[in-house]
């Protein structure tokens, strides 16, 4: 059993760690509230815009389709991995890294796969196994639609220049503070979904359906990337808050166990001292 000095030192250390994890949990909880409100408010708009675009594009003739919907033989694939710049968030970043590696190995095994990382953690690991075309850590310093639009335009230009035949987003979708869902979304080319509902569309278009679609596509793609970043940002704080909550609970349990061990050791030490005193007194009397 450790001596009293060692136990006191460990109790102090664990208590300090517990204060840090508790403070980090509170900070993440405050940031999560703002991030959750942001993604909750923009998600209906983004989903409706995507649905409208799919409904319209599905009714266009193939020869009138957008250049962003061009289907080519897939030789070069770009996976956009959206992670965070900081750790201590449980399996948040690990899940993204595993998902990227899985898709690269199983879905695009025979293809040339490059990675575009948004976040330091994914870049640090993935650059060891893949060609990272570019890494952007600064996007989280000011996560705005304007900044994310610049990245979306860069990705769109890479597709138009035929540098890549398919671009895929991999990110954590926010469900709640304790649950994040790893999503794989095809960014380019745009997927067309034809259903009985969009066959029965009866809209009046001004100036024309084709012009409206061509105007909506860049806006929809920019919104898709911004939504993914917002989802990931909210998921990060939810994962970190949950991880720090569990860490605080574990530290509390460890501290209590150490205090119990300390009290037992202290009691044994006092008992030994009493026995020594009694033994010494008896030796003098004897």
């Amino acid at each position: 059993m450790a001596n009293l000095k060692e136990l006191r030192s460990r109790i102090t250390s664990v208590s300090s760690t517990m204060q840090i994890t508790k403070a980090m949990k509170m900070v993440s909880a405050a940031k999560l509230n703002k991030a959750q409100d942001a993604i909750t408010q923009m998600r209906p708009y983004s989903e409706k815009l995507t649905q409208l675009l799919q409904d319209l594009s599905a009714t266009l003739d193939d020869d009138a389709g957008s250049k962003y919907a061009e289907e080519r033989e897939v030789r070069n694939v770009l996976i956009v991995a959206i992670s965070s710049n900081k750790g201590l968030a449980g399996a948040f970043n690990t899940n993204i890294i595993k998902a990227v590696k899985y898709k690269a190995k199983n879905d695009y095994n025979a293809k040339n796969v490059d990675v575009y990382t948004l976040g330091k953690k994914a870049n640090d690991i993935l650059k060891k196994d893949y060609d990272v075309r570019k890494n952007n850590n600064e996007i989280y310093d000011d996560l705005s639609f304007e900044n994310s639009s610049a990245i979306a335009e860069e990705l769109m230009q890479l597709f138009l220049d035929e540098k890549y035949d398919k671009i895929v987003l991999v990110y954590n979708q926010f469900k709640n503070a304790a649950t994040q869902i790893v999503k794989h979304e095809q960014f380019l080319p745009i997927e067309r979904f034809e259903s009985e509902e969009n066959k029965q569309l009866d809209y009046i278009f001004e100036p024309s359906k084709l012009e409206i679609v061509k105007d909506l596509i860049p806006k929809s793609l920019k919104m898709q990337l911004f939504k993914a970043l917002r989802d990931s940002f909210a998921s990060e704080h939810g994962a970190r808050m949950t991880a720090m909550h569990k860490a605080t609970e574990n530290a509390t349990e460890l501290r209590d166990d150490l205090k119990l061990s300390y009290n037992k050791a202290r009691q044994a030490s006092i008992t030994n001292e009493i026995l020594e005193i009694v033994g010494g007194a008896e030796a003098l009397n004897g």
Side-chain angles (χ1 to χ4, degrees):
M1 180 180 291
N3 59 42
L4 293 176
K5 183 178 180 181
E6 291 176 347
L7 287 172
R8 281 198 300 268
S9 177
R10 292 184 63 187
I11 290 172
T12 302
S13 176
V14 171
S15 298
S16 298
T17 301
M18 186 177 66
Q19 291 178 352
I20 294 172
T21 56
K22 189 175 181 180
M24 292 182 66
K25 172 191 171 184
M26 295 176 65
V27 171
S28 293
K31 292 182 177 179
L32 173 62
N33 288 333
K34 296 181 180 179
Q36 183 176 356
D37 290 342
I39 186 59
T40 302
Q41 292 172 7
M42 76 167 293
R43 187 174 287 165
Y45 171 77
S46 176
E47 291 176 352
K48 189 63 178 178
L49 180 62
T50 301
Q51 179 187 350
L52 177 61
L53 179 63
Q54 290 173 350
D55 290 343
L56 292 176
S57 61
T59 62
L60 292 174
D61 298 331
D62 291 337
D63 57 350
S66 167
K67 52 190 176 182
Y68 296 109
E70 179 186 357
E71 295 283 349
R72 302 193 290 259
E73 181 182 354
V74 179
R75 294 190 180 91
N76 301 307
V77 179
L78 181 65
I79 300 179
V80 181
I82 304 177
S83 66
S84 68
N85 289 334
K86 300 177 181 178
L88 298 177
F92 174 82
N93 293 304
T94 304
N95 289 338
I96 294 298
I97 293 168
K98 288 181 177 178
V100 170
K101 290 184 175 181
Y102 179 86
K103 288 193 72 66
K105 181 178 180 180
N106 295 277
D107 296 351
Y108 309 118
N109 188 30
K111 316 299 181 184
N112 178 34
V113 178
D114 290 343
V115 179
Y116 191 118
T117 56
L118 298 174
K120 182 177 182 295
K121 291 301 179 179
N123 179 64
D124 290 345
I125 302 300
L126 294 174
K127 68 181 180 181
K128 300 176 182 178
D129 301 316
Y130 303 96
D131 290 331
V132 176
R133 181 178 183 90
K134 189 173 181 179
N135 175 52
N136 189 324
N137 299 335
E138 296 77 19
I139 183 64
Y140 294 111
D141 296 338
D142 183 15
L143 185 55
S144 63
F145 181 73
E146 290 74 17
N147 291 335
S148 67
S149 293
I151 299 174
E153 289 173 357
E154 182 180 356
L155 297 175
M156 291 154 61
Q157 193 59 47
L158 288 173
F159 180 79
L160 294 180
D161 293 341
E162 300 188 8
K163 300 290 185 182
Y164 298 98
D165 306 303
K166 179 176 285 190
I167 299 178
V168 182
L169 305 180
V170 179
Y171 66 97
N172 281 295
Q173 184 184 57
F174 178 80
K175 183 176 181 181
N176 54 52
T179 306
Q180 299 82 39
I181 304 171
V182 178
K183 297 286 289 183
H184 313 85
E185 285 185 3
Q186 181 168 312
F187 187 69
L188 287 168
I190 295 173
E191 295 181 282
R192 294 187 181 187
F193 297 93
E194 187 169 356
S195 64
E196 292 299 325
E197 292 182 1
N198 57 43
K199 285 182 179 179
Q200 301 174 2
L201 289 177
D202 188 19
Y203 295 152
I204 298 176
F205 301 98
E206 181 66 35
S208 70
K209 183 192 300 184
L210 181 58
E211 291 184 35
I212 292 174
V213 170
K214 287 184 176 181
D215 184 61
L216 277 180
I217 284 176
K219 182 181 294 185
S220 176
L221 289 172
K222 293 175 183 178
M223 185 59 64
Q224 181 182 357
L225 179 62
F226 185 50
K227 182 181 74 68
L229 284 165
R230 277 290 185 189
D231 258 317
S232 180
F233 190 64
S235 297
E236 175 192 351
H237 291 301
R240 183 171 293 111
M241 185 186 74
T242 302
M244 292 301 100
H245 175 71
K246 292 180 179 178
T248 302
E249 288 184 340
N250 292 337
T252 302
E253 182 178 350
L254 179 57
R255 183 195 61 180
D256 293 342
D257 290 342
L258 288 172
K259 283 186 175 181
L260 181 61
S261 298
Y262 175 81
N263 290 333
K264 288 181 178 180
R266 184 169 177 270
Q267 185 177 12
S269 177
I270 293 173
T271 302
N272 288 334
E273 290 178 2
I274 293 175
L275 289 175
E276 290 175 0
I277 294 172
V278 171
E282 290 180 353
L284 291 174
N285 293 331

